[in-house]
Amino acid sequence: MATFLYRRRLIELGVLLLALFVVGRLSISTGNVRVLIFASLFIFTLAMVAVIRERIIIFLIIYLAFMGLIRRALIPIASWSSFDPLLILAPSITVILAISLFWELKNHHNLGEEKPDKLMVTLFIFGCVQMFNPYSGSPISGFVAAMYIIVPWLWYFIAFYKLKQKDIGVILNIVEVIGTIIALYGIYQTFFGILPFEQMWVDLTGYAALYLAADTVRAIGTFPSAQEFVFFTMITFMIGFTKLTYKKNLLLHLPVVLITLLSIFFASSRTIIFFIAIAIFMVLILTKKTLIRKITTGIISIIVFYMIWMGLPNLNPAWFGVAEPAVSHMIEGLVDPLSEDQTGLGHIERFVDGMKSIFTNPVGHGIASVTKAADKSATTEAMSTEIDISNMIVAMGVGGIIYIAVVFTTIYKSIYLINKKKNLEYIISLAIFLGGFGAWINGGFYTATIITWLLVGWIHKQYSIYRGEDNAFSSY
């Protein structure tokens, strides 16, 4: 026994010395700094998964929300690479957690009688098959694309089987806190400019879409793209606004609403403003109990929105100092979004072309064609239409119709649940679905899509439970 313990200690010591040698060897080159950070975080996160399982999502959301800033901050000491190992931390942990869940489902049948939506299961299978679509180039492109498409869908199943209402409440609270902090940072970037290492990143990547003027860079927050920054800020706004509508901690949530709305405005993203207005409209109506209050609230809301829209031309962008280009860009786009000088018509044309592609290629071009995988691969043609509904038609052909069905049935299920019980989490989920309509799945998002599909999975679970209770009551 003593000999066995002695040999075991020698093996453990040997493994430790080998690990220290590898770390030391990698540390010699600054190019390996990102690999070392990834390895450390991966081991740490993997250990956390063994203890807290699906609640690791809280850590992953925080990590992903700041991942873009972390990657940019490493440029002065570790240079830059588009193939950064830090990008695969969250997808790797998600896949491990999902495999563990599916293994548990295979061997145990005590996770409840509720089953995931058949449309969602079919969609997931379609997506996995489309990883190997020959039209999208090499299989490697398909695997890269899976980070943006398949990984968020995995969280649908994890949430469906594992997350409870209290978990959703905690996640939403954390998103509200970090989203407000990031929104404030976005406002700082608008008025004081981006930091030097962030400018290095803009120059290295050639991110021309960030420039609103020759010397004005659009706010990007802590995210890899300005679009995801705005989307995540929208999620934070909808959380704060819904809680405010419920009259919960007015002094706490009013600043959240004002900060996030200003941040979105200064980020100069016009399309999402339209969907935020729709989400606000629906939240205000659905939170009212009587029909007369719903109608009155709807009429008042429409009048207020119209007055705000008519008053936009009276805003002088020069009032906002260095933010003048951003404000001018926002006002011009909102006042006349379909003019030749704006991008509104271009968005509509890309959407229509994407929908038409089902007739020219009903099998789709593969999920890689509408993600960043297309930008990273020399064998894949980038075909993103910038709207998820048409993107899924482009990527999966007839399979995209299933995606459209999932989107609209999810919205229906959310409204159904709200009518059954005006639960705060139900209304926040619907607000996020409507505010982010057209970007539930996005080939360039890392954080926001995970939150969205996590909520989709939870809503489907709650709907399944309520429908089961209704059917049981009817039978009785």
Side-chain angles (χ1 to χ4, degrees), residues 368-382:
S369 63
V370 294
T371 67
K372 281 190 174 181
D375 299 327
K376 300 176 185 294
S377 171
T379 61
T380 307
E381 182 182 357

Side-chain angles (χ1 to χ4, degrees), residues 176 235-245 253 256-257:
E176 185 178 14
I235 292 176
T236 308
F237 169 82
M238 295 316 313
I239 294 172
F241 178 81
T242 307
K243 290 181 177 179
L244 197 62
T245 305
H253 300 296
V256 172
V257 169

Side-chain angles (χ1 to χ4, degrees), residues 86-400:
L86 293 175
L87 293 173
I88 65 171
L89 175 65
S92 302
I93 296 299
T94 298
V95 170
I96 292 171
L97 187 59
I99 291 173
S100 174
L101 170 64
F102 294 147
W103 181 262
E104 185 179 352
L105 290 172
K106 178 183 177 182
N107 293 282
H108 302 282
H109 303 283
N110 59 346
L111 292 178
E113 297 180 356
E114 296 78 24
K115 301 296 182 182
D117 190 291
K118 291 180 181 179
L119 283 172
M120 188 63 210
V121 174
T122 306
L123 177 65
F124 181 76
I125 294 171
F126 259 91
C128 291
V129 171
Q130 288 290 348
M131 290 170 58
F132 306 97
N133 189 318
Y135 285 104
S136 63
S138 67
I140 294 177
S141 298
F143 282 108
V144 173
M147 288 197 309
Y148 307 102
I149 308 293
I150 306 301
V151 167
W153 289 347
L154 285 175
W155 276 104
Y156 169 95
F157 297 99
I158 296 170
F160 185 93
Y161 283 108
K162 291 295 187 178
L163 293 185
K164 309 298 181 184
Q165 182 172 326
K166 64 178 181 180
D167 299 320
I168 297 298
V170 171
I171 290 169
L172 294 175
N173 288 338
I174 289 174
V175 169
E176 185 178 14
V177 172
I178 62 175
T180 305
I181 295 171
I182 294 171
L184 280 170
Y185 183 57
I187 293 174
Y188 170 86
Q189 290 176 323
T190 298
F191 287 94
F192 298 97
I194 59 177
L195 299 176
F197 62 82
E198 293 178 306
Q199 185 61 54
M200 291 173 63
W201 170 75
V202 173
D203 296 337
L204 286 169
T205 58
Y207 197 166
L210 277 185
Y211 283 93
L212 294 170
D215 56 349
T216 303
V217 177
R218 190 196 307 261
I220 198 171
T222 59
F223 290 91
S225 70
Q227 189 182 7
E228 185 169 19
F229 162 62
V230 171
F231 194 95
F232 190 85
T233 307
M234 177 278 299
I235 292 176
T236 308
F237 169 82
M238 295 316 313
I239 294 172
F241 178 81
T242 307
K243 290 181 177 179
L244 197 62
T245 305
Y246 264 68
K247 297 181 174 59
K248 288 183 174 291
N249 299 322
L250 180 67
L251 294 178
L252 178 63
H253 300 296
L254 182 58
V256 172
V257 169
L258 295 176
I259 290 169
T260 52
L261 192 58
L262 283 173
S263 185
I264 293 171
F265 183 78
F266 288 129
S268 197
S269 179
R270 288 85 59 90
T271 304
I272 204 164
I273 293 291
F274 173 75
F275 289 112
I276 285 176
I278 294 176
I280 290 173
F281 181 78
M282 291 297 293
V283 167
L284 291 175
I285 289 178
L286 290 173
T287 50
K288 299 299 180 287
K289 295 181 179 179
T290 64
L291 179 60
I292 187 65
R293 288 187 177 182
K294 291 178 186 292
I295 294 173
T296 303
T297 301
I299 293 172
I300 294 173
S301 299
I302 292 173
I303 292 172
V304 171
F305 286 144
Y306 180 75
M307 290 176 64
I308 292 173
W309 182 60
M310 291 298 292
L312 283 175
N314 296 322
L315 280 178
N316 185 351
W319 296 343
F320 299 91
V322 294
E324 179 179 352
V327 175
S328 178
H329 183 259
M330 174 65 86
I331 293 174
E332 290 172 2
L334 291 177
V335 171
D336 190 5
L338 300 181
S339 71
E340 294 183 358
D341 296 331
Q342 302 304 320
T343 58
L345 286 174
H347 290 309
I348 294 173
E349 289 174 0
R350 283 191 290 273
F351 172 77
V352 173
D353 290 342
M355 297 299 287
K356 287 181 179 178
S357 70
I358 193 172
F359 300 108
T360 57
N361 185 6
V363 299
H365 293 83
I367 58 175
S369 63
V370 294
T371 67
K372 281 190 174 181
D375 299 327
K376 300 176 185 294
S377 171
T379 61
T380 307
E381 182 182 357
M383 305 179 68
S384 175
T385 65
E386 299 182 6
I387 300 172
D388 61 358
I389 290 175
S390 48
N391 269 348
M392 289 298 100
I393 293 292
V394 171
M396 300 194 295
V398 293

